[in-house]
Amino acid sequence: MKRLCLSIGYLLLTTGQAFSGEGVPAEVPTMVELSAREINRIVCPGQMSDLIFSEEKGLTGHFSGNNAFVKFTAEEMAGKLKYSKEPSEIYAVCNGSVYTIIGAPAEINAVTVRLALPKSETVEKNIARYKNMPLEKHALQLIQEAYDGVFPSSYQVIDKKQPVHLCPDLDLVRQQVVEIEGVGLRLKSFKATSRSTTDLELAEKTFLAAAVGNPILAVAIEQHNLKPKQSTRVFVVERKDVPAATMATLDGGVEP
């Protein structure tokens, strides 16, 4: 396994007072856009025990472990495939709770739908995971998990790409937002691509901008030196328990 060797260039010490896509909640019918043409994935934060849907409404699917996969079927008419345009109910039994998804077919890429743990259980698991750890270790652990791409089921992971305008030499796209309820942290993962015609050196302070995150606790860059059109990942950890305000910067230069 490749070892994480990211320079955590900035840890921000904040003082003050005390995107939220939380996943589909249990027992609450929730409308979700699904791909009309591709296979969509449903992720349970535990064991998936059943998946119920109506084949008459043009759905097919199956489940295994903590995942379920559903797809809208197509009918051939006059030599062309016609896909469903009507929403359809999908019932997923996850951790003993029933989640009701109203799947609305849309002309979009395949969608990953995450089912949320009950709030109290989510908070308890996160607090237990981070207790007795200093704040700097919180940031390092979260960035390590993001680097590996494996998160605990108590995290709320939102996959949604969004361009961010930061500077002319850099094409920056937010890839993912990870919420850690009960701990007051949020991680954002970005893909940074050089638009420069010469070699480009990235610095953590470049990403200390409100467009990226606010208030920011830590910034980590996977690769600092980029050739033209080359990309790297950037991880930003935010503190949700403090207001956006003036923050003293600690240049940690830490390698986890």
Side-chain angles (χ1 to χ4, degrees):
M1 180 182 295
K2 186 178 178 181
R3 183 177 180 273
L4 174 64
C5 189
L6 296 173
S7 173
I8 312 299
Y10 283 87
L11 291 174
L12 305 182
L13 304 181
T14 60
T15 58
Q17 300 174 356
F19 173 62
S20 177
E22 299 185 353
V24 174
E27 308 297 344
V28 179
T30 305
M31 178 77 76
V32 178
E33 278 196 339
L34 300 177
S35 174
R37 298 173 180 267
E38 301 181 26
I39 298 173
N40 302 282
R41 177 187 176 201
I42 301 172
V43 181
C44 166
Q47 189 69 25
M48 185 90 70
S49 57
D50 207 351
L51 183 70
I52 304 161
F53 52 87
S54 174
E55 293 184 0
E56 290 78 8
K57 289 190 176 183
L59 273 177
T60 183
H62 72 278
F63 68 93
S64 177
N66 70 327
N67 293 287
F69 304 91
V70 296
K71 186 181 187 301
F72 290 95
T73 56
E75 294 183 5
E76 186 173 349
M77 299 182 65
K80 294 183 179 180
L81 292 178
K82 182 179 180 182
Y83 291 88
S84 175
K85 295 183 179 179
E86 297 298 322
S88 184
E89 296 83 4
I90 302 167
Y91 301 96
V93 182
C94 165
N95 284 338
S97 298
V98 178
Y99 293 76
T100 303
I101 300 170
I102 312 299
E107 293 296 324
I108 57 177
N109 293 329
V111 172
T112 297
V113 180
R114 300 185 184 275
L115 307 181
L117 279 171
K119 182 70 71 175
S120 59
E121 187 176 344
T122 297
V123 170
E124 287 175 4
K125 286 189 175 183
N126 288 337
I127 291 175
R129 187 175 184 83
Y130 282 89
K131 70 178 182 180
N132 301 324
M133 290 174 58
L135 187 59
E136 291 81 0
K137 289 291 185 181
H138 290 185
L140 295 180
Q141 176 168 302
L142 185 51
I143 289 169
Q144 176 73 64
E145 292 165 342
Y147 178 86
D148 294 335
V150 179
F151 297 107
S153 61
S154 57
Y155 291 9
Q156 297 162 7
V157 183
I158 306 105
D159 298 310
K160 189 172 183 180
K161 294 184 178 181
Q162 180 177 320
V164 177
H165 179 70
L166 188 63
C167 58
D169 288 337
L170 203 62
D171 182 17
L172 189 66
V173 180
R174 191 189 72 195
Q175 304 286 310
Q176 195 174 63
V177 178
V178 182
E179 303 276 358
I180 304 89
E181 295 294 340
V183 182
L185 296 179
R186 174 191 294 118
L187 178 132
K188 294 179 179 179
S189 176
F190 297 86
K191 179 181 179 181
T193 304
S194 174
R195 300 175 63 181
S196 175
T197 56
T198 59
D199 289 357
L200 179 66
E201 184 176 355
L202 298 180
E204 285 80 4
K205 64 182 180 181
T206 302
F207 300 92
L208 299 179
V212 173
N214 197 10
I216 294 176
L217 171 64
V219 177
I221 301 173
E222 188 171 16
Q223 184 173 338
H224 286 76
N225 298 303
L226 299 180
K227 295 186 179 301
K229 298 184 179 180
Q230 189 176 8
S231 300
T232 189
R233 292 187 296 173
V234 179
F235 304 108
V236 174
V237 180
E238 291 181 323
R239 287 193 67 178
K240 299 190 295 181
D241 58 345
V242 296
T246 302
M247 296 176 288
T249 302
L250 173 65
D251 189 350
V254 180
E255 291 187 357

